[in-house]
Amino acid sequence: MTSMAQIELEHVDKHYGQFHALKDINLTIPKGSFVALVGPSGCGKSTLLRSLAGLESISGGTMKIAGERMNGVPPRRRDVAMVFQSYALYPHMTVRENLTYSMRLNRRPKEECEKAAKDVAAITGLDELLDRYPRQLSGGQRQRVAMGRAIIRDPKAFLFDEPLSNLDAALRVHMRKEIRSLHDRLRATSVYVTHDQVEAMTMADHVVVLRDGIIEQQGAPLELYDHPANRFVAGFIGSPAMNFIDAAVSETGDAIVLEGLDAVLPIDRRLQPGRQVKAGLRPEHLRLGAPENSSIRLEIAVVEFTGAASYLSSATDPELTIFHAGRVEVKSGEVVGVSIAPELVHLFDPVTEERILAQSGSE
Ligand SMILES: Nc1ncnc2c1ncn2[C@@H]1O[C@H](COP(=O)(O)OP(=O)(O)O)[C@@H](O)[C@H]1O
Ligand SMILES: [Mg+2]
């Protein structure tokens, strides 16, 4: 695979009539990278992907593939491959025929088709299955055929639109790894759309979080997790989701007072005393301890065990969720102590919802 290319979007806008679906999208997808577009349903992910493929025209801005302006270029001349959910296979064709469909359309010689089918089958692990029909394949095998059909075209980029959403949970986890390892071998420029933040975080080198047609933040997966730019990204990335609590900066400026919980948490920066903030505490950063030695005391309402981990929900208002790796001896109705390292307390402006940086700007 040598024809992979960089993709650039500059000030891309898309209107559907009055509806503004994409708003000033600026994004560079480096050659050979795996980029995930993630966000809630309706945020514009498919619109962005379909615009890249040329299936939608954009209303403004510039879109480039391999440095070449793509505005107005028809889909078949863009040389990108869309990978759909597995059911997009032709049911009356064998795996071999499905794989070579585009080549046969282009009247490639039979031997060339056969060689390409064998090569792609070897890459995707379909060697033994070339003569089967889609109905004779498992969900995962069908997904591999869908991938293989894209690979055989040797496109400039792969575009995935929620390809795993029809598969059951276990197969989804398996295919996630399979697609990623295929990417590691082919180094194909890949744009992967999903509403599932875990899928985005685990598969991509670079994650782009979209909301209402706007890029809220983009960066390496752990960069988004560690330094969410705003409350939306903070709540969207991470599972179970971050706890949010209204708070006010203490008189000393180096702690916050949590509303409704009668608790004071030290913070690692100095802020204006009395300033209202929204505190964000990740469930996995809350540490259980003796109530008398902890900053927060919580009555626990529900304890859930998955075997490997425990999830505790407090009976307080606001409710807090605590994730504990391993088992706990806590029962419903019990009061526990909880603390958190000052540098792990996220702070957001309650009005703008932007992350509050240290006043020294040292963050
Ligand atoms: N052809 C269309 N005409 C009008 N509105 C559309 C059309 N396609 C999508 N939309 C709207 O644009 C928004 C983004 O849609 P889409 O890109 O499909 O979202 P996602 O893939 O993130 O779920 C949604 O509000 C959707 O209703
Ligand atoms: Mg979609």
Side-chain angles (χ1 to χ4, degrees):
M1 302 285 145
T2 51
S3 52
M4 288 302 153
Q6 170 155 313
I7 298 173
E8 292 149 274
L9 294 102
E10 290 162 10
H11 304 293
V12 167
D13 272 288
K14 169 68 183 174
H15 293 268
Y16 291 113
Q18 294 294 311
F19 184 74
H20 202 172
L22 296 176
K23 300 165 188 163
D24 194 27
I25 300 290
N26 292 288
L27 177 61
T28 298
I29 298 169
K31 178 175 171 171
S33 66
F34 196 118
V35 171
L37 305 178
V38 66
S41 176
C43 70
K45 305 181 293 293
S46 294
T47 299
L48 186 47
L49 204 69
R50 291 169 56 79
S51 302
L52 273 177
L55 301 169
E56 300 283 354
S57 60
I58 53 176
S59 321
T62 308
M63 206 169 249
K64 290 184 196 158
I65 299 177
E68 202 185 323
R69 190 180 149 97
M70 283 293 129
N71 302 40
V73 173
R76 59 189 169 73
R77 289 208 26 238
R78 296 196 182 194
D79 205 9
V80 296
M82 284 278 262
V83 182
F84 296 100
Q85 293 170 350
S86 51
Y87 59 67
L89 301 179
Y90 298 107
H92 58 286
M93 290 184 195
T94 62
V95 169
R96 175 185 279 102
E97 289 163 349
N98 265 289
L99 288 176
T100 55
Y101 180 73
S102 62
M103 297 182 76
R104 290 184 291 121
L105 266 190
N106 292 325
R107 306 196 176 281
R108 307 306 306 165
K110 201 163 187 283
E111 308 74 57
E112 196 183 317
C113 292
E114 181 57 24
K115 175 162 191 318
K118 287 226 166 83
D119 288 351
V120 169
I123 293 169
T124 51
L126 292 166
D127 320 61
E128 310 290 312
L129 306 172
L130 282 169
D131 294 315
R132 292 223 194 148
Y133 289 90
R135 71 186 132 76
Q136 299 169 311
L137 302 176
S138 70
Q141 290 166 337
R142 280 183 217 161
Q143 191 55 54
R144 281 192 225 152
V145 181
M147 289 284 298
R149 209 165 53 173
I151 293 168
I152 211 162
R153 291 176 45 197
D154 192 15
K156 292 209 175 75
F158 292 129
L159 309 179
F160 298 89
D161 197 349
E162 312 224 15
L164 306 184
S165 55
N166 272 12
L167 306 179
D168 67 48
L171 188 53
R172 225 162 41 223
V173 172
H174 174 76
M175 288 309 296
R176 194 155 97 187
K177 283 185 270 188
E178 209 165 291
I179 293 178
R180 178 66 218 197
S181 86
L182 202 55
H183 173 81
D184 290 341
R185 278 179 281 145
L186 298 175
R187 284 286 146 200
T189 308
S190 301
V191 187
Y192 190 99
V193 159
T194 177
H195 66 275
D196 180 343
Q197 58 92 17
V198 176
E199 220 167 87
M201 294 286 283
T202 53
M203 293 176 80
D205 311 314
H206 189 83
V207 175
V208 179
V209 181
L210 282 173
R211 175 168 66 157
D212 295 340
I214 290 173
I215 295 181
E216 291 281 345
Q217 190 175 3
Q218 52 175 309
L222 293 181
E223 174 65 20
L224 301 192
Y225 175 88
D226 290 337
H227 302 285
N230 54 50
R231 190 189 156 182
F232 176 78
V233 175
F236 191 77
I237 300 288
S239 173
M242 186 182 278
N243 298 292
F244 292 103
I245 310 164
D246 290 321
V249 177
S250 69
E251 282 171 20
T252 50
D254 58 1
I256 54 171
V257 183
L258 302 181
E259 272 175 30
L261 293 176
D262 187 26
V264 179
L265 290 185
I267 54 173
D268 66 341
R269 59 208 97 166
R270 194 164 281 278
L271 299 175
Q272 180 73 41
R275 177 176 178 176
Q276 286 293 311
V277 297
K278 183 77 81 175
L281 312 176
R282 292 206 182 273
E284 61 275 30
H285 291 158
L286 295 173
R287 302 211 162 279
L288 294 169
E292 59 276 17
N293 301 330
S294 306
S295 342
I296 312 175
R297 269 171 297 125
L298 291 176
E299 182 184 336
I300 297 303
V302 180
V303 184
E304 295 164 295
F305 300 106
T306 62
S310 313
Y311 298 82
L312 288 71
S313 312
S314 72
T316 51
D317 181 20
E319 181 190 89
L320 291 190
T321 302
I322 301 157
F323 172 88
H324 180 84
R327 300 182 190 195
V328 289
E329 297 288 324
V330 176
K331 292 191 182 48
S332 162
E334 208 171 303
V335 172
V336 301
V338 172
S339 53
I340 182 166
E343 66 275 16
L344 294 176
V345 176
H346 295 271
L347 298 173
F348 303 96
D349 187 286
V351 179
T352 64
E353 305 210 326
E354 296 295 310
R355 178 183 194 79
I356 298 173
L357 301 173
Q359 258 162 9
S360 60
S362 62
E363 192 176 8

